Amino acid sequence: MNLTVNGKLLSAEPAPGQCLRTFLRDLSFFGVKKGCDQGDCGACTVHIDGKPFHSCLMPAFRAAGHEITTIEGLARDGRLHPMQQAFLDAQAFQCGFCAAGMIMTAATFDEAAHQDLPRMLKGNLCRCTGYHSVDDALHGVVNVEEDGVGDACGRSLRNPFAKAIVTGNARYTLDLPADDALHLKVLRSPHPHARIKSIKRDKALAIPGVVAVFTWEDVPRKLYSTATHEDHLVDPDDTYMLDNVVRFVGQRVAAVVAETESAAEAACHLLEVDYALLPPVFDPEAAMAPGAPILHEKSVAFRDNIYVDIHGELGSVEEGFAQADATHEMTYSTSRVQHVHLETHGSIAWKGDDRLHVRTSSQAPFIAKQKLCYLFGLFDRDVHVFTERIGGGFGGKQEMISEDLCALATLKTGRPVMWEFTREEQFIGATTRHPMTTHVKLGAKRDGTLTAIQVRVVSNTGAYGGHGGETLAAALSSPIAAYRCVNKKADGYAVYTNMVPAGGFRGYGASQTTFAIECALDDLAKLLGLNPFEIRRKNMIREDDRIESIWKDPSDVVFGSYGLDQCLDLVEKALASGRGLPKPEGEDWLEGTGVALAMLESGPPTEHRSGAEMRLLPDGSYHLAVGSTEMGNGSTTSHRQLAASVLGTRAGRIAIINGDTDQTPYDTGTFASTGTVVAGQAVERTATALRDNILAYASRHIVCDLAECRLQEDAVICANRKIPLAEFYAAGTKEGHRFDVRRKAYLSPRSVGFNVHGVRVAVHRVTGEIMTLQSVHGADIGRLINPMQCRGQLDGAIAMGFGWALYEKMAYDANGTMVNPALRDYRIPAFADVPRSEIYFADTYDTVGPLGAKAQGECGINPVAPAIANAVANATGVRFPDLPLTPDRIFAKLAAR
């Protein structure tokens, strides 16, 4: 058929039933993204005869004779479309995966549409930004600042790949031609617990184009964990690539590779699996009870279905409660939620130069490489793993769940093999946040001084235990350590159940117990007649305190800086200002205010290391290689800023490459804000070493005192002489001097960051609707390397917190099958749902982190849900201890009063 794409007449024939999205990508228009393939997210938006359409909903054949415009064709005559320029100036993206679709939609807006943005943008979702910067772009706000010489840190500099993102030229994991690649699809279990007796593959192999079918009999019989940590011993080796026992609905049973994705999918449906059903258990309390079905062999779990349990006590809570004038005791619970990064998991593997190459969407490519070497018995030199731009992560890509089967199929067939998760597979076959039930008991004197803190946490780790122990340890750490009390006790259990596995997620276990403890503290304050701010100020940790939770052992957690008091003051002042929306009229609307605080270590307790490499280039610019990945966390921008500040140059003079096991130094992975505190530290040390290298050579070459030498932009200043770096490079190279260095950084000691969130809400006592009237956030993250990015990270964390608090929940039937595995049914915040938060920063400079910075992207989510829950309790006089706070739950409890 004939159609016009971006002004060029093309002739191509779509496959029967093919949608326009996949057809355009087959034609190498990779700016057309896949986020759902159900018309829910808008990442695939294109213009058809000037009007925006979700291309995943349109059959390709209907495009015949029409004019199609993709993001690649929006610019004209070398000039960006005004909306592309607006997104560039506001930096209205983080990972950028949704940006093309958002721009294509917004580019069609007239003045009337601009007056109704919540309705007009309801079909375009973003998981990263919280929509604040998107709103800025649509109102012509310029957030980016000009690059400066030697003072890059503290400036809101543009992402180095920003123009590629807004023009659709940024390449994500599967944005590449794959004409000769095989496509992989998996058959997933319909049962929560069963043993596979046999798998008949004859009918599947008879499908034209099917190349191979792999079952548990065809894979290495090696146990491992999909979780990626430096110390693999912190996660249980409880997983096989393909297993003859399935332990949750959605577990992969068999893999099919075929010439086309449709052939592979059709073959999956023709596999005949004979299952012997086993009794399932879904509730962790039931799973711990005597006689419960056991999921794993005794060698895996600590005891039966308890993967790990953690216990500790400081002082004596028994004595503490005896001394208390008041006690509060309640059980709080948090729901299972999904990361919903818009780029789903995906990998492509191929053989080249007698090596295995894997291009993947991973937060930890070096650890993924280690696991592939282990599984397939390969030497380190035989495997290359790397990332392109990653479309979001939030901890969900701190797993190896797509790379292994692609590698297997490539090694077996000798062909390139690619696999892209569907949105449904993300829900049923990836990982989630750990649902936790936390019983809290607090004791206090009449003045609010805490005398005892006791918690019992039960974490549902699902069918496999990756991250189960580490998230449980985090749950029992900073949320308890945030308060001064001589008597603390905690008991925690991570429990196997026949549910989809839980994993790493922004906030990493601390989110769940922060919710419980912050709600309990408000309930205690109400009992004592105290103000929520007052009880927190009385009991919160102070900078001269020892940081301790329930363990007596020494810790490497220290105060590199302290700004919790500033954060509380900033939030309290903002809430008292009268800003925000008024309460809606009518006696059925109830108004309330809530606050919560959170403390989080800058980095995980396990080993974590990172390296960086820098060299001077012939033209006097620099090359920087860092092993960390970029998924919207802004590390590529901040790393250049750190290096530029040390080297006295502009960030724009530093080219950067990251996340490649061949071309960059080792990095454990980009999670728990280590992109700043570990990789950033490596960058600072490396830039310092290169600066010293250049100045030492300059001192020798010119015969000048080293103390009189310094770098300034593209030159060396020695005494009164200014010599271009390009001249030094040429002279040094001729003499055999090398202007290249490499340094490493390790995560110890660890500083702590603080976040405080406050909200005013209105609650409708009849419908259960919750309306946010004001949202305020205070953050202590040390020095702001890039203020725009810091605000963006917090905007995104706050939005995610609102979704977790108010409506996000994975729902299951009695068989353990998820009933809402689509974005239209599992609802994440849209533009209309997120209030514009006031964000304030404490004035601190961290002595541990690089150039005064510390963690920023992780902890921002933690105080949001409890602040909302506390506001609802303040408005209604009723505590709602279980997330999410949906209208039906609000209505049911208020109606029962």
Side-chain angles (χ1 to χ4, degrees):
M1 71 180 195
N2 295 324
L3 73 164
T4 301
V5 181
N6 297 335
K8 294 182 179 180
L9 183 64
L10 300 177
S11 182
E13 196 65 30
Q18 186 173 22
C19 72
L20 182 58
R21 182 193 71 80
T22 58
F23 181 60
L24 288 170
R25 287 182 64 84
D26 285 348
L27 296 173
S28 294
F29 296 103
F30 295 117
V32 184
K33 305 299 185 193
K34 167 191 167 179
C36 66
D37 267 353
Q38 295 176 306
D40 296 330
C41 75
C44 67
T45 303
V46 300
H47 294 173
I48 302 177
D49 298 333
K51 295 182 179 180
F53 281 84
H54 290 185
S55 59
C56 68
L57 295 179
M58 183 172 184
F61 77 88
R62 290 187 179 174
H66 292 279
E67 185 169 332
I68 312 298
T69 304
T70 71
I71 187 70
E72 293 94 336
L74 196 60
R76 288 286 188 268
D77 302 322
R79 298 187 63 181
L80 295 179
H81 185 280
M83 191 54 66
Q84 290 174 307
Q85 188 64 52
F87 269 64
L88 193 67
D89 291 340
Q91 191 150 310
F93 53 83
Q94 286 179 25
C95 81
F97 197 79
C98 73
M102 195 85 69
I103 291 169
M104 294 302 290
T105 297
T108 65
F109 289 174
D110 57 16
E111 185 57 35
H114 274 274
Q115 299 306 312
D116 194 7
L117 293 176
R119 183 177 70 87
M120 297 305 297
L121 283 173
K122 65 182 180 180
N124 289 85
L125 298 177
C126 175
R127 192 58 153 170
C128 296
T129 64
Y131 303 99
H132 186 151
S133 59
V134 174
D135 188 59
D136 283 349
L138 293 169
H139 287 91
V141 176
V142 177
N143 291 324
V144 298
E145 297 177 329
E146 292 299 317
D147 201 351
V149 177
D151 62 349
C153 281
R155 288 178 178 260
S156 296
L157 299 189
R158 178 175 288 150
N159 184 302
F161 306 107
K163 188 169 183 180
I165 289 169
V166 302
T167 56
N169 293 312
R171 290 293 174 254
Y172 294 80
T173 307
L174 297 179
D175 290 346
L176 76 171
D179 298 332
D180 61 339
L182 298 174
H183 294 264
L184 187 147
K185 299 294 281 185
V186 300
L187 175 68
R188 296 186 179 274
S189 172
H191 304 296
H193 201 189
R195 186 173 300 278
I196 297 173
K197 297 167 68 176
S198 66
I199 302 177
K200 294 182 180 179
R201 47 184 116 183
D202 296 353
K203 294 179 181 178
L205 288 168
I207 295 284
V210 171
V211 174
V213 175
F214 304 110
T215 73
W216 70 275
E217 297 174 300
D218 305 303
V219 302
R221 195 68 175 165
K222 292 183 179 180
L223 283 169
Y224 69 106
S225 173
T226 63
T228 54
H229 284 109
E230 178 74 24
D231 181 1
H232 72 94
L233 297 177
V234 302
D235 300 301
D237 290 334
D238 58 5
T239 305
Y240 289 111
M241 288 175 59
L242 294 169
D243 202 351
N244 64 332
V245 177
V246 292
R247 296 178 176 87
F248 68 97
V249 175
Q251 180 169 327
R252 53 199 201 185
V253 172
V256 177
V257 288
E259 299 291 347
T260 65
E261 190 173 355
S262 59
E265 190 166 357
C268 284
H269 294 304
L270 292 179
L271 289 170
E272 299 177 33
V273 186
D274 186 9
Y275 296 97
L277 301 186
L278 299 172
V281 59
F282 305 116
D283 178 77
E285 293 285 1
M288 289 192 289
I294 304 300
L295 271 71
H296 292 278
E297 301 292 337
K298 291 183 179 179
S299 60
V300 172
F302 170 72
R303 183 175 66 253
D304 296 334
N305 287 323
I306 299 174
Y307 156 52
V308 67
D309 59 345
I310 299 175
H311 308 276
E313 184 172 15
L314 292 179
S316 169
V317 293
E318 184 178 356
E319 293 179 9
F321 287 122
Q323 297 165 6
D325 294 318
T327 60
H328 167 72
E329 191 170 5
M330 185 175 281
T331 301
Y332 306 84
S333 72
T334 57
S335 57
R336 184 183 298 277
V337 293
Q338 229 283 326
H339 312 80
V340 195
H341 34 75
L342 283 200
E343 181 199 43
T344 60
H345 279 87
S347 299
I348 180 167
W350 68 93
K351 292 292 294 291
D353 302 322
D354 293 323
R355 302 176 72 210
L356 175 67
H357 302 269
V358 182
R359 172 169 161 160
T360 186
S361 185
S362 171
Q363 293 178 229
F366 286 86
I367 304 295
K369 173 180 174 175
Q370 291 175 5
K371 290 181 181 288
L372 292 175
C373 289
Y374 161 72
L375 286 172
F376 298 109
L378 300 172
F379 290 110
D380 178 82
R381 63 177 180 268
D382 295 331
V383 181
H384 170 215
V385 179
F386 68 105
T387 65
E388 291 291 336
R389 191 160 184 87
I390 299 172
F394 315 113
K397 293 175 181 175
Q398 196 189 338
E399 307 279 342
M400 190 187 73
I401 58 176
S402 64
E403 298 88 346
D404 55 335
L405 287 182
C406 288
L408 169 78
T410 289
L411 293 172
K412 293 278 190 179
T413 66
R415 299 268 303 276
V417 176
M418 63 191 303
W419 182 22
E420 182 179 23
F421 275 38
T422 65
R423 180 55 58 186
E424 181 178 1
E425 285 182 303
Q426 281 296 142
F427 282 115
I428 69 171
T431 57
T432 70
R433 187 184 290 280
H434 286 77
M436 292 188 188
T437 299
T438 304
H439 185 82
V440 183
K441 184 178 181 181
L442 302 178
K445 294 291 190 180
R446 287 185 181 87
D447 67 354
T449 302
L450 289 170
T451 61
I453 301 173
Q454 184 173 6
V455 300
R456 178 182 183 271
V457 179
V458 178
S459 173
N460 188 338
T461 198
Y464 298 94
H467 301 278
E470 292 300 281
T471 53
L472 182 63
L476 302 180
S477 183
S478 57
I480 298 174
Y483 290 102
R484 315 171 82 215
C485 184
V486 296
N487 305 303
K488 301 177 181 180
K489 182 179 181 180
D491 300 283
Y493 306 87
V495 185
Y496 285 119
T497 65
N498 292 111
M499 297 296 292
V500 62
F505 199 121
R506 188 182 217 161
Y508 206 74
S511 309
Q512 294 91 312
T513 47
T514 295
F515 173 76
I517 291 171
E518 290 299 302
C519 288
L521 196 67
D522 255 42
D523 292 341
L524 179 64
K526 181 180 179 182
L527 188 65
L528 292 168
L530 297 175
N531 178 285
F533 283 94
E534 180 184 357
I535 198 169
R536 285 173 172 80
R537 285 196 179 92
K538 180 173 286 290
N539 293 288
M540 70 188 189
I541 194 169
R542 299 168 191 170
E543 61 182 320
D544 54 352
D545 288 339
R546 179 184 173 93
I547 303 172
E548 56 186 3
S549 173
I550 58 170
W551 299 287
K552 297 181 177 71
D553 299 333
S555 167
D556 70 340
V557 180
V558 299
F559 287 118
S561 57
Y562 180 87
L564 177 56
D565 51 349
Q566 295 181 52
C567 292
L568 270 174
D569 292 346
L570 289 165
V571 170
E572 185 176 34
K573 182 179 179 181
L575 287 175
S577 68
R579 291 190 295 271
L581 301 173
K583 178 175 74 72
E585 295 183 1
E587 60 181 17
D588 287 329
W589 284 101
L590 310 170
E591 184 175 352
T593 301
V595 66
L597 66 81
M599 179 178 88
L600 193 67
E601 301 90 346
S602 292
T606 52
E607 296 296 317
H608 205 105
R609 56 195 172 102
S610 183
E613 182 179 294
M614 285 199 79
R615 64 178 183 269
L616 180 67
L617 299 177
D619 65 352
S621 64
Y622 301 91
H623 174 81
L624 170 62
V626 195
S628 60
T629 59
E630 172 62 64
M631 56 195 161
N633 50 323
S635 60
T636 53
T637 311
S638 60
H639 289 167
R640 294 201 317 161
Q641 290 180 254
L642 288 166
S645 292
V646 172
L647 293 166
T649 188
R650 300 176 189 272
R653 296 288 289 168
I654 301 173
I656 187 169
I657 184 173
N658 63 297
D660 189 314
T661 64
D662 272 7
Q663 300 188 59
T664 64
Y666 179 89
D667 182 273
T668 298
T670 309
F671 49 86
S673 294
T674 54
T676 297
V677 297
V678 188
Q681 191 93 257
V683 169
E684 181 195 357
R685 291 178 182 178
T686 304
T688 300
L690 182 59
R691 179 197 65 194
D692 294 346
N693 174 308
I694 295 170
L695 294 180
Y697 175 77
S699 174
R700 295 194 308 270
H701 184 70
I702 302 177
V703 189
C704 175
D705 193 309
L706 181 61
E708 297 185 72
C709 298
R710 60 187 172 87
L711 290 174
Q712 181 177 305
E713 197 167 6
D714 301 325
V716 176
I717 309 294
C718 288
N720 295 321
R721 297 181 61 186
K722 182 176 183 179
I723 304 162
L725 282 171
E727 285 187 24
F728 271 110
Y729 180 88
T733 302
K734 187 178 295 185
E735 295 176 12
H737 184 84
R738 294 181 58 178
F739 296 99
D740 55 14
V741 296
R742 179 183 286 206
R743 292 293 184 271
K744 299 176 182 177
Y746 299 86
L747 181 61
S748 190
R750 293 175 292 149
S751 188
V752 292
F754 297 99
N755 295 75
V756 176
H757 198 80
V759 290
R760 278 194 308 113
V761 303
V763 183
H764 198 280
R765 72 171 96 214
V766 177
T767 65
E769 179 186 355
I770 298 172
M771 177 185 294
T772 304
L773 305 177
Q774 187 182 11
S775 174
V776 184
H777 195 92
D780 170 25
I781 61 173
R783 184 184 185 188
L784 278 62
I785 301 299
N786 186 308
M788 173 181 65
Q789 286 192 166
C790 292
R791 288 191 177 88
Q793 288 290 311
L794 290 171
D795 276 324
I798 292 166
M800 192 175 281
F802 267 85
W804 188 42
L806 297 178
Y807 36 79
E808 288 188 46
K809 183 180 182 180
M810 300 172 74
Y812 295 86
D813 65 15
N815 189 53
T817 302
M818 187 179 178
V819 297
N820 59 333
L823 292 180
R824 68 188 59 182
D825 300 316
Y826 176 93
R827 188 167 158 242
I828 68 170
F831 184 93
D833 300 317
V834 183
R836 192 172 180 116
S837 296
E838 302 175 37
I839 295 176
Y840 303 96
F841 295 99
D843 183 12
T844 61
Y845 186 98
D846 201 69
T847 59
V848 175
L851 298 186
K854 55 184 176 181
Q856 57 183 284
E858 188 86 8
C859 190
I861 190 174
N862 289 355
V864 178
I868 295 170
N870 288 337
V872 171
N874 178 247
T876 63
V878 178
R879 169 60 65 188
F880 297 87
D882 307 307
L883 293 182
L885 307 175
T886 52
D888 58 321
R889 287 182 170 180
I890 304 293
F891 171 80
K893 204 160 186 176
L894 293 183
R897 293 178 68 185

